[in-house]
Amino acid sequence: MQIFNEFFSKNLADIAILAQKRELKKYDRGNFPILRHNGQEFISFACNDYFGLSTKESIKKAGHNALQKYGNGAGASRLLTGDNILYQELEEKLAAFKRTQKALVFGSGYLASLSAIPALVGKNDLVLMDKNCHACHIDGVKLSGAKFYRFLHNNVESCHNFLKLHRHKFTKCIIITETVFSMDGDTAPIGELLSLAKEYQGALMLDDAHGLGFSEKSLNEQNLPLDEHIILLGTLSKACGGYGGYICASSLLIDYLLNKARGFIFSTGLPPAVLAANIAAIDIIANDKSLPYKTIQNANYFCTSMNLSKTKSPIIPIIIGNSKLTLDIASKLYEQGLLVSAIRPPTVAKNSARIRLSFSASHNIDQINKLINALKAIL
Ligand SMILES: *Cc1c(COP(=O)(O)O)cnc(C)c1O
């Protein structure tokens, strides 16, 4: 292990110098948005629990009932005996809410990307990805062996240029972007990218991880994603407050993934309690439009008070630039009982370290005012 240990130590020392060393902190989050840590209470602006569903009583009860009825584990991969009957209900609800023919649930969003992309494209194919796309898609494309280029963030012309230069050399082509970008909270020019995908005989993959509950209205206005060129990828771990990932697409594509996506085939099904809680959460999200409304209202209350432009998403980045300074700001807020994410490279581009705030329908005005006052005193 000597060679390894020297390698580990050097790497850790290098990232520590860059203020990029990460560590785990233990939280008790039984009463979101209040989190407990080291016996102290904090208001969290760092969770993706946009509707507070992770700790909602009716959802806990649904999970509890399924645990009693079906036990803890799935027992096997879904293609063997792990396809608990709850999967069918969850997938039908997801497909109906997202308005696609079918849905397929995976172990996580990360696993969905790592499983689907290598099943959809290979070394004779082309992938064009927005520069700000989540790491899971970079990993998925690398695993696929497809040729890939990253186009400038939200820049349709940049994507088009890559298509003009390279599309003719490849068999299949996928353009990947996000409905709501995870570190910036902005949205993609989906209509224009879809037109490009069609013009160049490709598919558009939309990562909807932060869009669930928020993106449906604008997608529906464009009569999407009911379009065979669109592959929608999402997670049940954010607004849904649970765990798992999914792909919503045509019946044909889902049937293909079920047969070919390795992370689907060779991984165990989700625990039944998780499935039941996800079903209960999707029911709430599909029926209670006040949740996204309240969330965005909270985010906009903050934006207005801080003289920031208004938002359509729950994610607000405050770009600081320097990693060390970003960490200092986060720790000053921490001292005042406020949890925020200090996002640093390599998660975001060099010199764009930021405080990332996630607003939730669960926050009240007093809690948001506390954040505003603290930030105004620090910045
Ligand atoms: C969180 C996230 C994922 C991964 O989802 P998990 O279910 O947490 O694995 C994928 N894409 C984006 C944009 C995300 O923010």
Side-chain angles (χ1 to χ4, degrees), residues 5-284:
N5 288 342
E6 281 167 11
F7 171 82
F8 299 149
S9 301
K10 178 168 184 334
N11 262 273
L12 290 171
D14 286 351
I15 55 177
I17 287 169
L18 296 169
Q20 287 176 8
K21 181 137 188 326
R22 288 140 206 258
E23 57 186 34
L24 289 168
K25 287 197 186 122
K26 306 284 170 260
Y27 291 107
D28 165 352
R29 60 184 313 290
N31 184 28
F32 184 77
I34 305 298
L35 268 61
R36 294 184 70 81
H37 171 59
N38 280 348
Q40 226 182 312
E41 285 201 347
F42 295 86
I43 307 162
S44 173
F45 292 93
C47 299
N48 302 309
D49 194 358
Y50 301 122
F51 306 144
L53 298 184
S54 71
T55 58
K56 195 176 168 67
E57 280 308 317
S58 61
I59 292 176
K60 288 199 276 186
K61 193 165 264 178
H64 183 87
N65 290 343
L67 181 67
Q68 287 300 325
K69 189 166 176 189
Y70 301 112
N72 183 25
S77 69
R78 291 186 62 187
L79 289 172
L80 296 177
T81 55
D83 196 36
N84 188 290
I85 51 172
L86 293 170
Y87 266 115
Q88 186 178 352
E89 190 181 349
L90 177 59
E91 289 174 341
E92 283 173 4
K93 288 198 158 145
L94 275 170
F97 184 50
K98 283 297 173 187
R99 302 199 321 152
T100 58
Q101 288 177 351
K102 280 219 162 143
L104 190 66
V105 169
F106 293 75
S108 70
Y110 186 91
L111 191 61
S113 180
L114 243 65
S115 312
I117 295 176
L120 296 168
V121 288
K123 66 176 178 9
N124 297 320
D125 302 320
L126 173 68
V127 175
L128 301 177
M129 191 189 304
D130 188 289
K131 266 215 149 70
N132 288 11
C133 271
H134 192 265
C136 65
H137 307 306
I138 296 171
D139 298 349
V141 174
K142 280 186 182 164
L143 198 58
S144 79
K147 180 74 188 170
F148 92 107
Y149 298 96
R150 295 167 78 191
F151 58 90
L152 297 176
H153 177 51
N154 275 349
N155 190 321
V156 178
E157 200 182 314
S158 167
C159 178
H160 197 179
N161 286 340
F162 281 116
L163 285 167
K164 281 190 276 196
L165 275 173
H166 302 293
R167 174 66 184 99
H168 63 277
K169 294 178 251 172
F170 298 94
T171 311
K172 297 193 253 41
C173 168
I174 298 183
I175 299 171
I176 307 181
T177 191
E178 303 190 357
T179 56
V180 175
F181 282 90
S182 58
M183 295 299 141
D184 294 271
D186 54 347
T187 54
I190 290 167
E192 291 167 85
L193 290 174
L194 179 62
S195 300
L196 278 187
K198 286 180 176 170
E199 187 185 337
Y200 285 86
Q201 297 181 305
L204 177 64
M205 181 181 259
L206 295 175
D207 182 333
D208 198 36
H210 295 271
L212 185 72
F214 299 101
S215 65
E216 294 81 19
K217 191 159 169 280
S218 69
L219 288 176
N220 291 353
E221 277 162 11
Q222 301 179 60
N223 207 23
L224 303 175
L226 271 181
D227 188 303
E228 64 164 8
H229 292 84
I230 290 188
I231 303 163
L232 196 79
L233 178 145
T235 177
L236 299 160
S237 68
K238 285 164 183 155
C240 195
Y243 197 67
Y246 60 87
I247 302 243
C248 284
S250 68
S251 303
L252 182 62
L253 193 147
I254 294 297
D255 192 26
Y256 172 78
L257 288 183
L258 191 151
N259 283 279
K260 291 287 182 182
R262 294 172 64 84
F264 179 85
I265 299 169
F266 297 109
S267 188
T268 300
L270 287 168
V274 172
L275 296 173
N278 285 335
I279 291 169
I282 292 293
D283 274 343
I284 291 173

